Amino acid sequence: MHVDDDRFRELITARVSRPAAIAEAAAKRRRPTSLLADHGRLMMIAADHPARGALAAGSRPFAMGDRVDLLDRLVLALSRPGVNGVLGTPDVLEDLLLLGALDDKVVIGSMNRGGLAGTVFELDDRFTAYDAQAIADAGFEGGKMLTRIDPNDPATVATLESCADAVSDLARHRLLAMVEPFISHRAEGRVRNELTADAMVLANAIAAGLGSTSAYTWLKVPIVDEMERAMAATTLPALILGGEVAEDQQATFANWQKALALPTVQGLVIGRSLLYPPGDDVAAAVDTAVGLL
């Protein structure tokens, strides 16, 4: 499937003349029967970066700034065998709904995008996209929240409280809450995530305790050294995130495969690494990732 000129014009026409078409498409969407695909894992494509102002992928500073190109890559990735989920903000997911690309997919709505990349208020990560009710109304399977914890930034506690409320709200609707925790620090004015086993033990332990119940909570975690120790901090199911585009993609795939052997790791949620891979062969990159499962 390809977002050609005719399909793009149809999408724009619907947005201009029939905005209710989005809700109609959501109501007609064929929902998945399980969070896991036939291979027994959740293989999800992430595309919620633009709403946080994070448009770079590898050496391309505005790679995700071309929406038609992004949609083209997403539609292709979602069409590959074994890919059974997508993560995005309302604008991206609604484009995909109008393109008919979300049947049988696990759809996770991104919730807090207020901590814009590179801003002084980045750790004040407010909920500016989906809320639990909107996710339930759309018939999606859950919501995702970025949860960065900076011991030196007082905005952290407000973000933690908001994330806890979101976890509780999603659980009331029996919807998955995907929490992406990091221990973060400012270095030379920029927020940096601490990618060590010690930091992820702490981050995972904090994230697991957010909300009034953990029954519907999954974690979204990065690869770190001593991954076994990082994942031993909780019994919650987890997905491995892709992070930045790496030049040595084979090493990245090897790290993902090793993490997938851990008992709580249930799959992958990968964005730029598969949508903008070295060599730009999206289908091949996605197929290789699926093969790891």
Side-chain angles (χ1 to χ4, degrees):
M1 194 157 53
H2 176 70
V3 185
D4 56 24
D5 289 344
D6 288 341
R7 298 187 76 207
F8 179 60
R9 280 195 291 269
E10 289 171 5
L11 190 157
I12 298 300
T13 298
R15 284 193 171 280
V16 171
S17 303
R18 293 187 58 244
I22 292 170
E24 292 167 8
K28 293 176 182 176
R29 180 179 74 96
R30 191 168 60 244
R31 297 187 63 177
T33 56
S34 170
L35 292 176
L36 307 179
D38 291 342
H39 46 55
R41 304 279 191 154
L42 177 53
M43 177 66 210
M44 179 167 287
I45 305 297
D48 61 340
H49 310 79
R52 204 174 68 80
L55 301 174
S59 62
R60 293 172 274 190
F62 287 93
M64 301 189 84
D66 184 329
R67 181 52 55 90
V68 175
D69 178 63
L70 173 59
L71 291 173
D72 226 6
R73 293 167 185 267
L74 279 168
V75 169
L76 174 58
L78 290 170
S79 73
R80 303 307 296 172
V83 175
N84 67 312
V86 63
L87 161 66
T89 45
D91 56 326
V92 173
L93 294 183
E94 288 165 359
D95 282 345
L96 292 171
L97 276 172
L98 292 171
L99 292 169
L102 297 185
D103 281 344
D104 302 315
K105 305 301 181 189
V106 175
V107 182
I108 303 296
S110 191
M111 303 176 78
N112 61 330
R113 297 283 83 187
L116 301 183
T119 61
V120 296
F121 53 86
E122 189 168 348
L123 270 296
D124 185 357
D125 209 345
R126 302 191 185 192
F127 282 63
T128 56
Y130 282 110
D131 58 25
Q133 186 62 57
I135 291 168
D137 290 345
F140 295 156
E141 282 65 50
K144 172 256 181 178
M145 63 211 74
L146 180 59
T147 311
R148 290 170 298 182
I149 303 158
D150 184 346
N152 297 310
D153 193 322
T156 291
V157 69
T159 299
L160 285 172
E161 182 180 33
S162 297
C163 289
D165 289 343
V167 169
S168 300
D169 287 346
L170 288 164
R172 277 190 281 273
H173 289 89
R174 298 188 177 184
L175 294 171
L176 185 151
M178 186 181 294
V179 183
E180 182 180 8
F182 292 100
I183 302 299
S184 303
H185 308 280
R186 283 196 182 271
E188 299 179 354
R190 297 189 63 185
V191 175
R192 304 289 188 185
N193 297 325
E194 186 178 337
L195 300 180
T196 66
D198 286 352
M200 287 314 303
V201 168
L202 181 58
N204 288 342
I206 293 169
L210 293 175
S212 56
T213 176
S214 64
Y216 296 90
T217 303
W218 288 38
L219 301 180
K220 179 174 181 268
V221 298
I223 293 288
V224 296
D225 290 337
E226 297 182 90
M227 197 68 185
E228 298 87 348
R229 192 160 66 84
M231 299 314 300
T234 174
T235 59
L236 295 186
L239 300 173
I240 300 301
L241 63 89
E244 300 289 343
V245 176
E247 285 301 320
D248 187 352
Q249 200 156 30
Q250 292 308 311
T252 298
F253 288 146
N255 285 333
W256 294 349
Q257 187 167 39
K258 184 178 179 183
L260 285 163
L262 299 173
T264 58
V265 176
Q266 301 299 308
L268 302 171
V269 51
I270 313 294
R272 293 166 292 185
S273 295
L274 298 184
L275 293 173
Y276 302 89
D280 234 20
D281 191 338
V282 174
V286 171
D287 291 349
T288 300
V290 171
L292 302 177
L293 305 177

